[in-house]
């Protein structure tokens, strides 16, 4: 039992770590793009913003298990298989990039317009304002929202076990549910709770470290 849970935990950590890194790396530019093309910002383009926002909202609305099945051909094309821990990373990323992008946009909107206007009056370019004003000032909120993203990915990775995704969700289904092993079910639940608690603790700690307001 211990070996099985350990291997499943490592698989879950692999899925969550890779998916979180990719989702955050791509979600930040998406959030910035949503912000700067919205009303009142540097590259205001309401038509583009509405189209992009609609696509983002549509992807966010698809339940993860349905998304995982729907894009299985794409997953197979990218990684060579539609099942397994590596294959799960593709739908995890596709499903959480729009979610992360919206969170990043919301975080950046907390930066007072006065700071943006002050930077503009000193001759800062839009890129400089994003890099040196918006992102640093919104960092505490960004870290909190990244924490939420990782926790969501942990939950989705567990759901992926229901359809061949591996990890703790797979152990919970195959052993805890199908074989009526209550000890395995409890073990997977405890590990997932610990993962979430650790991620939340790290997120709260980093937020306090960078928040000097």
């Amino acid at each position: 039992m211990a070996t099985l849970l350990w291997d499943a935990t490592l698989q879950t950590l692999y899925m969550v770590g890779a998916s979180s890194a990719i989702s955050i790396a791509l979600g930040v530019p998406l959030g910035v793009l949503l912000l700067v093309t919205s009303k009142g910002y540097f590259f205001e383009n309401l038509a583009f913003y509405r189209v992009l926002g609609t696509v983002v909202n549509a992807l966010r609305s698809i339940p993860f298990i349905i998304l995982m099945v729907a894009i299985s051909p794409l997953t197979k094309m990218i990684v060579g298989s539609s099942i397994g821990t590596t294959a799960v990373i593709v739908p995890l990323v596709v499903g959480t990039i729009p979610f992360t992008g919206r969170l990043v946009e919301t975080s950046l909107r907390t930066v007072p317009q006065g700071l943006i206007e002050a930077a503009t009056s000193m001759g800062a370019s839009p890129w400089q304002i994003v890099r040196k004003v918006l992102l640093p000032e919104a960092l505490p909120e960004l870290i909190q929202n990244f924490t939420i993203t990782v926790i969501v990915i942990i939950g989705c990775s567990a759901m992926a076990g229901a359809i061949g995704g591996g990890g703790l969700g797979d152990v919970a289904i195959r052993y805890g549910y199908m074989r009526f092993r209550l000890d395995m079910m409890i073990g997977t639940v405890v590990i997932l709770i610990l993962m979430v608690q650790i991620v939340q603790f790290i997120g709260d700690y980093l937020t306090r470290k960078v928040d000097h307001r």
Side-chain angles (χ1 to χ4, degrees), residues 41-53:
Y41 285 86
F42 322 116
F43 306 111
E44 181 178 329
N45 187 329
L46 296 183
F48 177 84
Y49 176 78
R50 291 193 185 103
V51 171
L52 182 60

Side-chain angles (χ1 to χ4, degrees), residues 23 34 76 80 82 97 105 108 124 150 172 182 210:
S23 296
L34 284 166
K76 190 170 184 179
S82 58
I97 285 176
E105 180 193 8
L108 296 178
V150 176
L182 183 60
V210 302

Side-chain angles (χ1 to χ4, degrees), residues 42-113:
F42 322 116
F43 306 111
E44 181 178 329
N45 187 329
L46 296 183
F48 177 84
Y49 176 78
R50 291 193 185 103
V51 171
L52 182 60
T54 300
V55 173
V56 167
N57 291 337
L59 289 173
R60 290 170 59 203
S61 303
I62 304 173
F64 175 70
I65 290 182
I66 296 175
L67 177 67
M68 188 174 175
V69 174
I71 67 168
S72 56
L74 174 64
T75 302
K76 190 170 184 179
M77 184 176 67
I78 293 174
V79 301
S81 174
S82 58
I83 59 174
T85 52
T86 301
V88 170
I89 293 173
V90 177
L92 281 174
V93 168
V94 172
T96 53
I97 285 176
F99 177 75
T100 306
R102 277 299 189 191
L103 291 179
V104 170
E105 180 193 8
T106 302
S107 298
L108 296 178
R109 288 190 186 279
T110 64
V111 178
Q113 281 286 346

Side-chain angles (χ1 to χ4, degrees), residues 1-2 31 33 37 41 49 53 56 70 73 84 90-91 122 140 155 183 186-187 202:
M1 174 180 171
L33 183 61
T37 56
Y41 285 86
Y49 176 78
V56 167
V90 177
M122 290 187 287
D183 55 342
I186 293 174
I202 294 172

Side-chain angles (χ1 to χ4, degrees), residues 6-20 85 89 150 153-154 157 167-168 191-192 195 198-199:
W6 174 249
D7 290 342
T9 300
L10 292 179
Q11 290 175 355
T12 297
L13 289 173
Y14 164 63
M15 287 187 288
V16 171
S19 302
S20 299
T85 52
I89 293 173
V150 176
I153 290 175
I154 291 173
S157 71
L168 290 167
I191 293 171
L192 287 169
M195 281 186 182
I198 291 170
V199 169

